[in-house]
Amino acid sequence: MKLTIDVAATDGAARTGTIATPRGVLPTPLFMPVGTKAAVKTLTPPDLEALGVPLILGNTYHLMLKPGADLVADLGGLHRFMSWDGHVLTDSGGFQIFSLKPKVTDEGATFRSTYDGSTHHLSPEEAAVIQSKLGGDIQMVLDVCPPLPSTDRVVRAAVERTGRWAERGRRSFLEQGGWRADRGLDQAQFGIVQGGIDHALRAESAQRTVAIDFDGYAIGGLSVGETRAEMVPALAAALAHLPEDQPRYLMGVGDPASIVEAVGLGVDLFDCVLPSRHARHGTVLTGEGRLMIKNLAYERDEGPLDATCPCSVCARYTRAYLRHLHRLGEPTGAHLLTVHNVAWLSNLVVGLRAAIAEGRYDAARRAVLDVWG
């Protein structure tokens, strides 16, 4: 199912609009929290609904191991399994090729389970089948994400293998069309652009991926060791060759400075574990930068985490109380800090939509970079 974006306003290359799917409408730009194991850590689906989150990401590698794709399919797919009516995007396992360093050949990747040490093989075809069983709204094609810095040879090899796998993954996805239709699934599949920080390779990978004709497009392999100054022009080189009428998704990027730079180039979708991971370690996102809640300065502080934040946590709880919970390792503390961080980052992106619509994106971008750059 090809997804298109209805652009409502632009300001330079930045754009705001909507992506219509069979499940509903996604406003853009949009940040999606990561629900690795069919849950955003410490949050429930009602929490996400209250925060206005319309899209979350599920991790194919972890879900194929526990509880298993067949079990999820038998129980009605991720939406029913999680009791979540919003959208779900599933990644392909490509990031785990980067992070877990499995044995990789042209046939696919052979992983050792992080749970019990058992061996599992994941090919581009199997990644498409597993994600169809998981039943998300959008699935990603399997790719190879090289770390940065890497040699030219390593990055070139990743682009070549990603291109070949994209053709195989797309073929597998299309061959399952009848299977998905029988189960009432109307999924989209996104291709992924690689190429490190080599502008020519980024352009080449984008052109090859578009030629396969995916339902949307993602840029992977950034925010994996390079500087932001290296990331931004590499991202621009890829975006220049992606269709303007389809969604553009920058994978694994969630820091405010990178988000505003990417939105300014025309990116629509983002995901990252940053807000929930920061919360568990006591790092709070605020309009004045990072706040470390464990610091002694907040022991008697009766103010909110961020006086400008409209979230339920800032409306009710003090820094002193949240510091107390965090220092004792109380799960409630991680929950409340995660609610705030997800709300804060989501509200940042909502604010960027308004800035684009009102023709003041550059000023909004500079304001974020002054704090987070």
Side-chain angles (χ1 to χ4, degrees), residues 215-238:
D215 302 318
Y217 296 92
I219 302 95
L222 292 174
S223 193
V224 290
E226 80 286 2
T227 66
R228 191 179 310 115
E230 293 171 322
M231 181 193 81
V232 171
L235 174 60

Side-chain angles (χ1 to χ4, degrees), residues 194-345:
Q194 289 292 342
I197 56 173
D198 185 307
H199 300 183
L201 278 180
R202 281 286 172 183
E204 177 186 331
S205 180
Q207 291 168 333
R208 290 176 63 172
T209 307
V210 170
I212 299 171
D213 193 24
F214 284 96
D215 302 318
Y217 296 92
I219 302 95
L222 292 174
S223 193
V224 290
E226 80 286 2
T227 66
R228 191 179 310 115
E230 293 171 322
M231 181 193 81
V232 171
L235 174 60
L239 290 170
H241 299 278
L242 297 181
E244 292 186 359
D245 64 341
Q246 289 184 264
R248 300 160 170 175
Y249 163 31
L250 178 57
M251 304 181 73
V253 171
D255 69 282
S258 294
I259 285 177
V260 296
E261 294 285 35
V263 168
L265 295 174
V267 172
D268 306 303
L269 302 171
F270 301 86
D271 83 277
C272 194
V273 298
L274 180 143
S276 53
R277 179 175 289 171
H278 270 2
R280 296 194 303 279
H281 292 90
T283 301
V284 181
L285 306 177
T286 80
E288 297 180 351
R290 291 180 179 84
L291 182 155
M292 306 302 294
I293 197 64
K294 69 180 180 181
N295 288 352
L296 183 61
Y298 306 121
E299 183 178 31
R300 296 177 178 273
D301 192 329
E302 295 188 86
L305 293 173
D306 185 337
T308 65
C309 177
C311 81
S312 60
V313 175
C314 288
R316 182 164 187 167
Y317 301 103
T318 66
R319 292 177 176 182
Y321 177 62
L322 294 167
R323 177 181 184 271
H324 158 73
L325 295 178
H326 174 71
R327 291 188 72 243
L328 292 182
E330 283 289 343
T332 300
H335 166 72
L336 293 174
L337 293 180
T338 303
V339 168
H340 166 79
N341 278 355
V342 170
W344 189 90
L345 198 55

Side-chain angles (χ1 to χ4, degrees), residues 26 30-35 40 53-58 87-90 138 140 190 249-251 253 268-275 342 345-346 349:
L26 298 171
L30 175 64
F31 175 81
M32 68 184 100
V34 174
V40 178
V53 172
L55 172 64
I56 63 172
L57 180 146
H87 292 76
V88 175
L89 180 149
T90 50
I138 301 169
M140 306 303 299
F190 282 19
Y249 163 31
L250 178 57
M251 304 181 73
V253 171
D268 306 303
L269 302 171
F270 301 86
D271 83 277
C272 194
V273 298
L274 180 143
V342 170
L345 198 55
S346 296
V349 177

